[in-house]
Amino acid sequence: MRLSYSALDTFKQCPQKYKFQYVEKISAPKSKEAIFGTLIHSALKYFHEPELIISPTEEDLLSFWSANWAPENFPDTREEAALFAQGVQILKNYYAKNAGQKFNILALETSFEAPIQASNDTHIITGKIDRIDKTDNEMFEVIDYKTSKSMPAQKIVDVNLQLSVYHIGVANRWPQLIKENRSIKTSLYFLKHGEKLSSIKTNEHLSRAQENIIGLLEQIKKAHQEEKFPPFPGPLCAWCAYQKICPVWKHKFRTEKIFFNDQDIKTLINEYVFLKNEIDERDKKMSEIKQTFSKFMDQENMERLFSDEGYISRQLIQRFKYDPLLLRQILE
């Protein structure tokens, strides 16, 4: 198989979306977030373009932003104005932090491909890296720009799939990095916050990344063979362009009445939601009563309470909480 990082990530997020996008190749319009991010990336590429004799000024950078901004991509005029202003602020902040610095840039928006051997199959992993620098201490640094609102914890960055894939891509382009046992720096630059989160990758990390990706490739191969691509509902569904055809969401977009055994499905859903809310209210009240019992038992040093209708006992239950990311690393 020949798969991009985006395809790998999409499968991890939701196999059903992967099927729509990469198997059935159903085209979908770019989201406003994607359009915004693409233009920001273009502006930063322009800012760092090594072929320019004179580095762009802040005015040049903002002029590039204005010249390439297309209001028609954003139907909501208020949202369009807010995003334009947001882009201006991001670029101003970036310029203030980076102008005048001498970066040793090896590549900008450079594509890569790397072979991955899994069982008897050779897969090709592809992708595009925003920027590759060589730092003052002779270390290669991979930089990926992010326009997202949130910024993850460092431990999430350390196991980030995208940075792992980019590490493989860089190591394939410059094999001497592996031979010389040289670490590389992988960074996510969160532009809205002006913060760069980095993780140092060694040959050991490279081997682990390859193993994890091989595991993911095996899952994808199995999904293709069995033709099973289940949907994974989650927070990202809100931004998915395939909602109207997704088995989890498509009913929401059906306008005509749907009957089953002469019953209107939406009416049944309303009834179910009403009953569920009643149950939730009852459970909430039960929880409050239990708390009262517990406080009374603590006060009176009792473990069982009696009434004419029966009795209530208190039982200690021990629960364990796991870090899902670390647990996944161990299991993989």
Side-chain angles (χ1 to χ4, degrees), residues 41 50 53 68 71 77 82 88 125 130 140 152 165 171 176 186 198 227 258 307 321:
H41 280 66
I53 299 174
N68 288 276
T77 54
V88 169
I125 304 301
D130 291 338
F140 284 54
V165 171
Q176 71 269 24
T186 58
S198 302
E227 297 185 353
I258 306 172
S307 77
K321 186 176 181 180

Side-chain angles (χ1 to χ4, degrees), residues 6 22 26-27 44 63 75 80 99 107 110 125 161 169-170 182 222 226 309 324:
S6 296
Y22 296 101
I26 300 173
S27 60
L44 296 182
S63 294
E80 181 269 327
T110 180
I125 304 301
L161 173 65
V170 170
R182 291 167 62 183
K222 183 179 179 182
E226 298 179 355
E309 299 295 330

Side-chain angles (χ1 to χ4, degrees), residues 234-248:
L236 294 177
C237 288
W239 291 274
C240 182
Y242 298 105
Q243 275 195 348
K244 290 185 178 181
I245 58 174
C246 174
V248 172

Side-chain angles (χ1 to χ4, degrees), residues 7-20 216 219-220 223 228-240 242-243 246-249 328 332:
L8 295 174
D9 189 52
T10 300
F11 184 86
K12 275 189 69 177
Q13 288 177 13
C14 178
Q16 179 69 76
K17 182 180 179 182
Y18 169 90
K19 181 185 179 185
F20 288 145
L216 186 55
Q219 292 177 41
I220 295 173
K228 290 182 179 179
F229 299 89
F232 287 175
L236 294 177
C237 288
W239 291 274
C240 182
Y242 298 105
Q243 275 195 348
C246 174
V248 172
W249 292 97
R328 185 167 187 170
E332 289 179 345

